[in-house]
Amino acid sequence: MAIVVTVTSGKGGVGKTTSSAAIAAGLAQAGHRTVVIDFDVGLRNLDLVMGVERRVVFDFVSVISGEASLNQALIQDKRLERLSILAASQTKDKDALTEDGVGQVIEQLSDMGFEYIVCDSPAGIERGATMALYFADHAVIVTNPEVSSVRDSDRILGILQSKSKHAEEGGRVNEHLLITRYDPVRVDQGEMLSKEDVCDILAVKLIGVIPESKAVLKASNTGFPVILDAESDAGMAYSDAVARFLGEDRPLRFVTPKKQGLLSRILGGGD
Amino acid sequence: MPIFGLFGRKNKSSAAAARERLQILISHERQNRLGPDFLPDLQREILDVVKKYVAVRDDQVSIRVDREGDASVLELNVTLPEN
């Protein structure tokens, strides 16, 4: 059976789609056959972030409704041969996602030999989001070091612990905390919650810290997962996170302020 | 400010305020979440039983679940009328 990894957060705009694209690409890079599914029915964006927006013919909902086969709907990534994308429908409404339908698609993807199914959850706690997390074996909770994001993440953790399939069967979803848009300088100055603060409050194991980075916008502008920008800080931080997910032990990077010269510190240089 | 930064002097930071507010809020929200699903029904039925013997209003009976270590404590509060 394929391993289902749901990328979720509750709050919008914290980096779920960026993270889904990066994690899926990272798993494929590591040699695992991976498919990433956009659960944001009506507001699809994963296709754009992955750079496949012009290749979408059929989508997740058309597979569930039987209009198209999975083979017709899956988009094979041109950069990574082990990576496929299943886009969300842009027209249908979110009630089109049924538990049976989603379950069947996941089962079929398993049968096709995919090892990882990455589910990109929409924001909120409505149907798209609950369907994205229902079948999760692992959940990556994407959180910004900011009060509303942390609160919403805790809400999502509650749903994972009560409404997921594993929870219903008396088990537990493996939870991982991914902190994004982290600014070590501001943390140092006491202007931003630290990674320790967020970990303590949410009580979830940290899998990675992605720094606030220009590389993220650059990647989405051009339609490639930021993890493929191996020179960038965000790309490297995502690579580390995926390696940790796969069981590797890697130290955190980009979590302390870059060293500044004495003069620039006195003059308030940098940003 | 950069000069003070050199000596690591800090006022109470806004991040500390965020942490404090979140800790209070989240522990409160978790407590509500941990309450079992049957709580509203239980409250209604207890209220019916109490009403059989004493005239109380709905808001005079409160019921809550607290966690103390490994155990859950069910707390029932009935405010009886003066007479």
Side-chain angles (χ1 to χ4, degrees):
Chain A
M1 202 56 192
I3 295 168
V4 179
V5 184
T6 298
V7 179
T8 184
S9 70
K11 191 174 182 301
V14 297
K16 281 182 299 297
T17 301
T18 299
S19 298
S20 298
I23 291 167
L27 289 168
Q29 267 183 325
H32 301 286
R33 281 198 66 195
T34 304
V35 56
V36 55
I37 308 179
D38 190 348
F39 274 74
D40 204 346
V41 175
L43 287 170
R44 80 166 169 234
N45 275 319
L46 179 70
D47 55 337
L48 206 49
V49 171
M50 295 289 298
V52 299
E53 70 277 11
R54 289 163 63 171
R55 297 171 60 204
V56 179
V57 182
F58 295 109
D59 55 60
F60 192 20
V61 173
S62 48
V63 174
I64 290 177
S65 66
E67 265 171 67
S69 71
L70 250 182
N71 271 318
Q72 288 174 300
L74 282 174
I75 302 166
Q76 157 79 54
D77 188 86
K78 287 189 171 154
R79 297 150 297 211
L80 297 162
E81 59 165 345
R82 291 189 172 84
L83 180 61
S84 295
I85 298 116
L86 187 53
S89 166
Q90 189 68 309
T91 50
K92 313 239 175 38
D93 71 309
K94 57 187 182 298
D95 296 329
L97 296 181
T98 59
E99 200 175 291
D100 286 348
V102 175
Q104 277 166 19
V105 170
I106 287 174
E107 213 175 291
Q108 276 186 58
L109 289 166
S110 286
D111 292 342
M112 289 168 78
F114 284 103
E115 294 165 78
Y116 287 98
I117 301 174
V118 178
C119 302
D120 179 20
S121 171
I125 51 171
E126 286 181 65
R127 186 158 197 91
T130 53
M131 277 298 112
L133 66 75
Y134 183 72
F135 293 96
D137 298 307
H138 293 263
V140 175
I141 318 293
V142 183
T143 307
N144 290 168
E146 177 273 323
V147 287
S148 50
S149 174
V150 175
R151 181 199 210 172
D152 290 357
S153 291
D154 192 67
R155 190 80 203 281
I156 282 290
L157 286 165
I159 296 173
L160 278 163
Q161 289 158 13
S162 59
K163 303 262 157 54
S164 64
K165 190 161 187 278
H166 276 300
E168 282 179 5
E169 289 166 356
R172 210 184 154 94
V173 176
N174 274 299
E175 299 157 353
H176 313 269
L177 177 64
L178 182 68
I179 300 177
T180 55
R181 308 199 71 163
Y182 196 71
D183 186 338
V185 174
R186 301 196 74 185
V187 171
D188 209 45
Q189 290 167 345
E191 295 175 6
M192 181 181 267
L193 287 166
S194 69
K195 59 186 195 313
E196 290 82 6
D197 289 341
V198 181
C199 278
D200 283 354
I201 293 165
L202 293 176
V204 177
K205 179 175 53 89
L206 187 66
I207 198 167
V209 178
I210 313 299
E212 174 78 55
S213 166
K214 288 180 178 166
V216 172
L217 183 60
K218 192 176 140 206
S220 77
N221 280 343
T222 45
F224 67 90
V226 70
I227 199 169
L228 299 182
D229 185 355
E231 307 281 292
S232 69
D233 47 0
M236 288 190 261
Y238 273 118
S239 292
D240 288 349
V242 172
R244 284 184 207 108
F245 179 81
L246 292 171
E248 231 179 275
D249 192 16
R250 285 198 189 179
L252 290 168
R253 291 191 276 181
F254 319 110
V255 291
T256 47
K258 284 196 195 85
K259 285 201 174 62
Q260 277 184 329
L262 185 64
L263 194 62
S264 71
R265 284 181 74 176
I266 292 170
L267 299 173
D271 44 7
Chain B
M1 222 17 220
I3 291 175
F4 291 121
L6 267 181
F7 304 102
R9 193 189 297 177
K10 279 170 197 160
N11 293 326
K12 191 179 176 224
S13 69
S14 66
R19 182 178 58 226
E20 226 168 87
R21 289 172 64 216
L22 276 170
Q23 275 165 344
I24 293 167
L25 176 73
I26 285 179
S27 80
H28 179 76
E29 287 184 341
R30 279 186 192 155
Q31 217 160 49
N32 291 343
R33 197 159 84 203
L34 287 172
D37 291 346
F38 58 76
L39 217 56
D41 285 347
L42 182 64
Q43 173 151 11
R44 197 174 30 83
E45 284 179 38
I46 288 175
L47 189 66
D48 289 345
V49 174
V50 173
K51 270 180 173 169
K52 262 172 75 177
Y53 301 94
V54 203
V56 291
R57 289 194 317 269
D58 286 15
D59 60 351
Q60 287 173 315
V61 176
S62 79
I63 181 167
R64 53 177 286 177
V65 178
D66 272 331
R67 289 210 160 243
E68 282 176 16
D70 295 341
S72 294
V73 178
L74 185 74
E75 188 184 301
L76 178 69
N77 237 310
V78 185
T79 313
L80 295 174
E82 292 278 303
N83 304 317

